[in-house]
Amino acid sequence: MSFGDNQNYTFLKPKITQKETLKNSSGETYTMSETQTQQTPTPRSLHEFLAQNEFYLGKDTTNIIEKIIISGNRKALLLRGPAGVGKTHLTYLIAKWLNSEYIYYQCTYGTSEDELLYKYVPMENTKSGIKITLGPLPRALLMSQKKKVVLVLDEFDKTRPSADALLLDMLQNFRVSLYLNDDETIITGNNNLIVFLTSNDMREFSEPLLRRLVTLTLKPLPSAMVYEMLKKVSNPLRLATNQFSF
C-alpha cells in the first residue's frame, strides 16, 4: 500500500470475488473468478488510475501532475518528502498510466555528472578492459525521439552539487553533450521526455535548476486515515485491542 499527501483521498472498496464455472472446447470444466471475466475499465484520469492501484494521493496534486504531463512543453518535476511516502512508486505508476518507457537511476552519495552521462561496462576485448556506453540521460533523450519516456533520477539530493548544472540544458532544450572517442557528440530528444527528480532534502538545489522544475511535496497520510485503511485489510479484533501504534 502506498500513499502520498494528505489532501483528498479515494478509498477502494474490498473486491468481492465470485466463481463462475465454464467449459472449454473439450468439455472440461474450470472456474474463473468474476474479476477475471470482467475487464477492468481503463481509467480516464491519473487520479482514477492511482486509486485503482491503491495509491492514495490528493486529487489537487494528481490534477497538477496530469496537466503538466499532458499540456506542458517541458515536463520536469521535483518530488520532495520523507522516505516512505511513495515518491518513487508514484513515478512508476505514472509510467504505467502513460504506457511509456521507464528509465530509473538510483543516485548515491557523491554521484557525479559522468555517472549520469556514461555507463562503464567491463569488457575484455578493449585495451582498458572497460567499454563506455550511454548513461541514463542520453539514453532517455534518444528513446524520446521515438516514444514517450519517463526518466527518474531517484534521490537526486545525494549527487554532487555540480550535477545540478548538467540538467539545465537538458531540461531547457532536451540535449546533452558527450565526449566519445575524443569527439564531442550532442544527443537530442524532444518533449516526449518526462523527468522526475526525487529528494529527501539532503541538500538544497541551485536556483537555476529549481526554476526548471515544478516542485511537489508529498506528505505521509494522517494516522486516522491509515487506521481506516488498515481496518479494511486487518483482523478487526486486533484493531479493537489497539495493537497498532502510530
Side-chain angles (χ1 to χ4, degrees):
M1 181 180 295
S2 303
F3 49 83
D5 57 26
N6 55 358
Q7 298 180 38
N8 303 314
Y9 298 88
T10 302
F11 292 94
L12 300 182
K13 295 181 179 180
K15 294 180 180 178
I16 300 175
T17 302
Q18 296 179 355
K19 298 292 183 179
E20 181 180 354
T21 302
L22 303 174
K23 288 187 177 181
N24 60 19
S25 58
S26 301
E28 298 171 322
T29 61
Y30 61 98
T31 59
M32 181 177 289
S33 67
E34 185 181 46
T35 54
Q36 291 174 298
T37 58
Q38 294 181 356
Q39 185 176 3
T40 302
T42 302
R44 294 186 299 272
S45 69
L46 175 60
H47 184 72
E48 292 174 346
F49 181 81
L50 295 179
Q52 283 185 6
N53 287 272
E54 298 185 346
F55 190 100
Y56 303 93
L57 185 64
K59 193 169 185 179
D60 292 342
T61 301
T62 54
N63 287 343
I64 291 171
I65 296 173
E66 185 171 340
K67 184 176 180 180
I68 292 169
I69 290 174
I70 293 176
S71 61
N73 182 36
R74 294 195 304 271
K75 306 160 186 175
L77 298 96
L78 169 62
L79 303 180
R80 309 183 93 145
V85 295
K87 301 184 294 295
T88 305
H89 190 54
L90 173 60
T91 66
Y92 172 74
L93 290 176
I94 289 172
K96 284 187 64 177
W97 175 64
L98 294 170
N99 193 28
S100 68
E101 294 291 333
Y102 186 75
I103 297 179
Y104 173 86
Y105 184 80
Q106 174 65 62
C107 301
T108 56
Y109 288 107
T111 292
S112 66
E113 300 93 310
D114 281 356
E115 292 172 272
L116 299 173
L117 292 174
Y118 309 100
K119 182 178 181 181
Y120 302 94
V121 181
M123 181 167 286
E124 296 179 357
N125 298 334
T126 61
K127 292 182 180 180
S128 63
I130 294 175
K131 179 182 178 181
I132 301 176
T133 60
L134 298 181
L137 268 59
R139 279 180 54 221
L141 286 168
L142 281 176
M143 293 178 70
S144 73
Q145 296 174 6
K146 298 180 179 180
K147 59 185 73 174
K148 198 175 293 293
V149 178
V150 171
L151 169 65
V152 181
L153 302 177
D154 201 17
E155 297 185 344
F156 193 76
D157 50 326
K158 291 182 177 179
T159 63
R160 298 177 184 177
S162 56
D164 292 8
L166 176 64
L167 295 185
L168 301 184
D169 194 32
M170 178 184 173
L171 297 179
Q172 186 78 28
N173 301 305
F174 302 107
R175 67 186 179 193
V176 293
S177 296
L178 300 174
Y179 287 89
L180 299 172
N181 300 322
D182 298 325
D183 295 323
E184 183 180 15
T185 302
I186 297 177
I187 305 235
T188 61
N190 56 39
N191 63 1
N192 276 332
L193 180 62
I194 304 162
V195 181
F196 285 96
L197 276 60
T198 74
S199 171
N200 296 331
D201 293 327
M202 300 286 292
R203 71 171 177 88
E204 292 297 324
F205 299 120
S206 67
E207 284 299 323
L209 177 58
L210 290 175
R211 286 197 297 268
R212 289 163 171 80
L213 298 167
V214 175
T215 301
L216 298 173
T217 300
L218 276 63
K219 301 177 182 177
L221 292 177
S223 299
M225 200 166 287
V226 176
Y227 182 81
E228 290 299 319
M229 293 178 187
L230 290 174
K231 284 203 299 187
K232 297 179 180 181
V233 297
S234 301
N235 187 330
L237 179 60
R238 186 182 178 193
L239 285 167
T241 56
N242 294 319
Q243 293 185 28
F244 289 97
S245 60
F246 302 99

